[in-house]
Amino acid sequence: MGLGDHATLKELSQAMSNGLTPLVEVQSMDGIYTVRLHDGESNTQLSNDQGRTLTFHGTGKIRELLGSIGLTHGVLTWRDQCGDEMIGIEGQAQSQEELLANGTRISFR
């Protein structure tokens, strides 16, 4: 069972009970965190019942939510760090694969 572009925690839990084992990305963007789920070529945002992406001001609530449905770990990535325009250092954004490979491993338990 796959997920679409957006999924609620309940939909994620149901998909996992049917065999889905996503790679979990906790993405930081200027101190706001979102959760992305990767399964093959599919990328899904964790959302509320109205389809709006859930945002968090820290990782504690994310750890509680994802741990409560049986997820044990993920990767913390940063979308806001690719250069420093204030001092003239240009950067090139990393690809999704690079972000996941170089992110910080985190635990939900």
Side-chain angles (χ1 to χ4, degrees):
M1 177 178 183
L3 299 170
D5 291 339
H6 295 274
T8 65
L9 189 65
K10 183 178 180 179
E11 291 168 335
L12 172 58
S13 179
Q14 289 171 344
M16 288 174 52
S17 69
N18 289 318
L20 179 72
T21 55
L23 171 61
V24 179
E25 176 186 8
V26 177
Q27 190 176 72
S28 173
M29 295 170 287
D30 293 326
I32 304 295
Y33 298 87
T34 59
V35 176
R36 293 174 51 91
L37 308 158
H38 304 274
D39 182 46
E41 295 297 316
S42 127
N43 294 309
T44 303
Q45 287 283 136
L46 188 61
S47 303
N48 63 17
D49 291 334
Q50 292 76 39
R52 292 188 185 102
T53 300
L54 290 176
T55 58
F56 303 89
H57 294 287
T59 58
K61 185 67 175 175
I62 294 170
R63 185 181 61 90
E64 291 173 18
L65 289 173
L66 298 182
S68 73
I69 62 168
L71 289 166
T72 59
H73 61 280
V75 178
L76 177 62
T77 63
W78 292 268
R79 284 285 181 191
D80 52 353
Q81 296 178 355
C82 93
D84 192 338
E85 66 279 355
M86 294 194 60
I87 60 172
I89 297 174
E90 292 186 29
Q92 184 163 345
Q94 294 183 2
S95 70
Q96 185 65 50
E97 294 79 21
E98 290 171 320
L99 284 170
L100 291 172
N102 298 315
T104 302
R105 306 304 184 244
I106 58 174
S107 172
F108 304 132
R109 292 193 177 201

